[in-house]
Amino acid sequence: MVRMTGSQILLECLQREGADTIFGYPGGVVLPLYDTLPQFPAIRHVLVRHEQGAAHMADGFARASGRTGVCLATSGPGATNLVTGIATSFLDSTPMVAITGNVARTLLGKDGFQEADITGITQPITKHNYLVMRAENIAMAVREAFHIARTGRPGPVHVDIPKDVFQEEAEFEWPDELSLRGYRPTTRGHAGMIRRAAEAINAAERPIVIAGHGVVWGEATDELVALAEKADIPVITTFLGIGGFPETHPLSYGFLGMHGMYHANMAADEADVVVGIGMRFDDRAMGRFSDFNPGATIVHIDIDPAEIGKNLPTAVPVVGDVKRVLPDLAERLEARDRSPWLRWIDGVREEHPSLEIRETRRLIPQQIIRALYEETEGRAVLATGVGQHQMWAGQHYFYDSPRKLISSGGLGTMGFELPAAIGAQIAVPDAEVWAICGDAGFQMTMQELAVCVDERLPVRIAIMNNGYLGMVRQWQELFYDENFVSVAVTQPDFRALAAAYGIPALRVETRAEVLPAIREARATDGPILIDFHVDQEENVWPMVPAGASLAETIEAPAKELAR
Amino acid sequence: MSLNANGARPRRHTVVAIVEDKPGVLQRVAGLFRRRGFNIESLAVGHSEFAGLSRMTIIVDGAGAPVEQVQKQLYKLVDVVKVNDLTSEDAVERELALLKVRCNNVNRHELLEIAGVFRADVVDMATGSLVLQAVGDADKINGLIRMCEPYGIRELSRTGVIAMTRGQKTTTVHESEPEAIARVHQSQGRRVESAELPFSSD
Ligand SMILES: Cc1ncc(C[n+]2csc(CCOP(=O)(O)OP(=O)(O)O)c2C)c(N)n1
Ligand SMILES: [Mg+2]
């Protein structure tokens, strides 16, 4: 055993957990930790420009690579700035360890300078959190934090450490074993339930799989493909499940939900057996719960037992790790030909094409995303913000593998795009990463442009500049009688802004300029920004109005198709 | 008792949770109930038979949320080791109450008679009031309170219900599985599988 300071123990543990990158921002109480950082040259510290960016970068890092992201902030305002990013990670179940400093132990609870009860604040938005009161407890807390963050249903774990605990010395001992008696995720599905699930599916005429984020995090794509192919079952995904099943596979029918494909929503509504895999029957995906396909038998496979029966009555629950459950289930499925059902969905798709991009002289974001898909041959990683551009990025790019679409689905956090793209680029340096930004969302975190420069990251930044809080404008147009209030947003000259950071930038105003700009961006070594001045009033279709059922999906009205 | 939307009577559930005796665990549980809209009628916490583990008895108003969700959400808390719903078990439920009731020389006797019927102890007596201590299930304590109300209840303090199953069945946490396997192994002179243990780890 060696005597080490709390700071040294923390960094040693991070290193042992395989964390080679910390996204952070210093401040008073974490100075002892920063003072120690140079002793650990294998750990790369990325200096962000706002702690929210640090959390989103850690999240983007995790989503792109499957590894646990780490972010760090000082007490008080530093810590509270992380909150949006932690909540974003929590609602999408991504593995993150957020570390904060706090005031010295003797000052805790005294409302001193920069004290915030940050563990009290993060408690409902973390999978678990720690306030570590002694240096000798740091190793166990960090060990547990990583274990909890990345096992079972992943999620963010927060570790708060008072300043003097960083300075305190203790014997360092790496805990070989964990004793978390209250945390034992179920991994293996119940054999009886798997049998019942198989019986339900085997008896089905019109089964459908709805695959979610759990397939991505459970790394169960191959298992899902094998299952679907064996039993000839069409697969749709949730928005976060995109890429969990290859979208160019003949059994892939896109994603469902509020802006899902018409045929996917209809298929979910028409199926006799709905098999939810690694998903949580969220309202944005399922529409009004009370009217979701009342005739369907619901089979639900998920690692989190609390999701089962939470929103919809489940006939067959299977709690377990999808990677282990799917092969067991597939083994019991009969090889079947379900072409009548597949042809039915094909027919709906042909009659109600959701992904057809109309001929128009206007520059519309759908064309840009599709052009990007074709140019990159589907191999890029897209990190999006929240709003219309997010939905188009989900619809018009086709993702053949997981971890290619990085987006805040659950919390819907504007400003996620740029920092998430930065985190992804750092995690997967060889990937071609595009930040697909809203003009408004970009302005929430654009200060992180500086990180692209500092770290020489070749992130390609594409702003879908419609001059509006586009998605909100769409709702005001459709549901608030075109009473447009506070949705037109002024922007800086994004090209000049990029130039101020020394980042090259292009402006695109016509269709003809799209391809050359994409090509130029791809050929550029380093960050580059493209300001796409797109049509201002384009709406996202199809759409399930808030509170409506999937069966009530509305398609683009004729007058919009004629624009 | 009011009727809920389905016209069914809201059901009181008695949920017992064994939790790590760590700072913040009470806030985690209380926060969970608040956030998910589960109503706590009463909550009692104290030590359990194991050092380091506390036992919470939570009376949940089942009208607010399906109790299955309550249990599952509780289980998701890392500090919660075990959860049991004792509602349909043969269980003893007890609560302790202290009541300071107004009285005078004229009615003191009556009040003592009432206390006797409810087997409540008189733990303090002064000229204008006396303090009764009652132990029992919620019905019994509610009954005593009703009877004392006409005299004037100056103070009331209830501990909240604690509960325990009758007979062999327990809500307890066994020692860790590897240790138990080793013990059975020693006593029987052979290796045992975890399935043979009298408890399961999940
Ligand atoms: C932090 C945050 N604030 C507010 C919202 C509500 N909101 C959802 S979409 C949207 C507009 C987004 O505008 P922009 O980034 O330009 O994207 P667009 O919809 O125009 O593509 C708003 C305000 C949100 N999702 N996140
Ligand atoms: Mg916009």
Side-chain angles (χ1 to χ4, degrees), chain A residues 84 386-390 392 411-415 417 437-442 444 464 466 468-472 489:
Chain A
T84 301
V386 170
Q388 294 182 312
H389 66 284
Q390 174 188 34
W392 286 315
L411 198 68
T413 308
M414 284 171 70
E417 52 265 64
C437 309
D439 50 325
F442 179 71
M444 287 195 170
M464 300 297 141
N466 55 9
Y468 274 113
L469 308 180
M471 187 58 91
V472 180
V489 51

Side-chain angles (χ1 to χ4, degrees), chain A residues 149-170:
Chain A
R150 62 185 162 211
T151 56
R153 176 179 179 175
V157 180
H158 168 216
V159 181
D160 191 29
I161 305 177
K163 178 178 186 180
D164 55 331
V165 175
F166 284 120
Q167 294 161 315
E168 186 178 60
E169 284 195 359

Side-chain angles (χ1 to χ4, degrees), chain A residues 90 120 123-124 127-130 144 148 153 179-184 186 304-310, chain B residues 20 27-28 31-32 34-36 51-53 68-69 72-73 75-81 177 201-202:
Chain A
F90 184 64
Q123 189 243 305
K127 192 168 166 187
H128 195 50
N129 65 13
Y130 295 86
E144 290 183 3
I148 291 169
R153 176 179 179 175
S179 62
L180 285 164
R181 46 189 166 184
Y183 178 73
R184 293 176 185 180
T186 313
D304 182 358
E307 288 304 337
I308 297 200
K310 188 179 81 178
Chain B
E20 296 284 353
Q27 192 213 350
R28 289 182 204 277
L32 168 73
R34 172 190 56 74
R35 181 165 101 72
R36 302 255 173 208
L53 291 177
E68 190 189 309
Q69 259 298 304
K72 285 172 167 178
Q73 293 294 345
Y75 255 125
K76 280 181 76 165
L77 298 178
V78 171
D79 285 342
V80 172
V81 182
E177 199 164 330
S201 62
D202 7 72

Side-chain angles (χ1 to χ4, degrees), chain A residues 41 46-47 225 246 248 254 362 412 443 462 479 518 532 537 552:
Chain A
V46 175
L47 178 66
V225 170
T248 53
R362 297 165 186 270
Q443 293 186 66
F479 308 118
I518 291 175
F532 288 101
E537 283 160 19
E552 297 165 274

Side-chain angles (χ1 to χ4, degrees), chain B residues 88-175:
Chain B
S88 51
E89 302 280 342
D90 181 14
V92 189
E93 290 195 6
R94 290 291 179 271
E95 184 175 9
L96 189 144
L98 293 175
L99 291 86
K100 187 175 285 177
V101 189
R102 249 183 249 283
C103 66
N104 52 39
N105 291 337
V106 182
N107 63 16
R108 182 172 296 119
H109 238 81
E110 263 172 49
L111 205 49
L112 290 176
E113 225 167 84
I114 292 170
V117 170
F118 284 89
R119 276 184 264 151
D121 292 336
V122 180
V123 290
D124 180 62
M125 193 179 282
T127 38
S129 66
L130 49 79
V131 177
L132 300 180
Q133 168 190 304
V135 176
D137 59 17
D139 283 349
K140 173 173 160 185
I141 292 182
N142 291 339
L144 175 63
I145 291 170
R146 245 191 327 273
M147 291 306 291
C148 291
E149 261 163 6
Y151 300 89
I153 296 176
R154 298 196 55 206
E155 245 184 307
L156 169 65
S157 179
R158 300 173 69 154
T159 56
V161 174
I162 56 171
M164 191 172 281
T165 44
R166 296 179 200 270
Q168 292 292 316
K169 218 168 160 188
T170 59
T171 301
T172 184
V173 178
H174 299 273
E175 49 281 59

